Amino acid sequence: MTDRPRFFDDLTGIAGGAFSAFTGAREELNAIIRNRVSEILASLHVVRREEFDIVREMATQTRISLDAAERRIADLETHIENLKRS
């Protein structure tokens, strides 16, 4: 009778160890895949979404500044023409 509970304890321990090993292997495999995908994307010169969003925001701000500068230049040119006519 005493052998039976020990058998189940041993079986539970083995199952728990196997589960831990599989979990660790899965995490390791995920890390390897993530690293490999990052290497492939880097070799293809593909940018990450965060980098793209930053550059897009910079381009938007530059466009706004350029539009403002063009309006100011147009106003100054109009002012100079008005001064020439006076």
Side-chain angles (χ1 to χ4, degrees), residues 10-82:
D10 290 344
L11 186 61
T12 301
I14 291 171
F19 181 75
S20 295
F22 286 131
T23 300
R26 182 186 59 150
E27 291 172 358
E28 182 68 22
L29 182 60
N30 283 339
I32 290 170
I33 290 171
R34 260 191 313 276
N35 288 336
R36 187 65 184 132
V37 168
S38 292
E39 290 172 4
I40 291 169
L41 291 176
S43 70
L44 294 174
H45 303 291
V46 175
V47 297
R48 295 191 180 278
R49 180 64 189 205
E50 295 85 16
E51 294 168 342
F52 175 80
D53 289 341
I54 290 168
V55 172
R56 183 175 57 183
E57 180 62 28
M58 288 171 52
T60 300
Q61 292 301 321
T62 301
R63 186 76 202 154
I64 291 168
S65 296
L66 179 62
D67 290 344
E70 287 175 344
R71 282 192 305 273
R72 186 166 181 206
I73 290 170
D75 290 344
L76 289 171
E77 287 173 342
T78 302
H79 184 68
I80 289 171
E81 286 301 318
N82 289 337

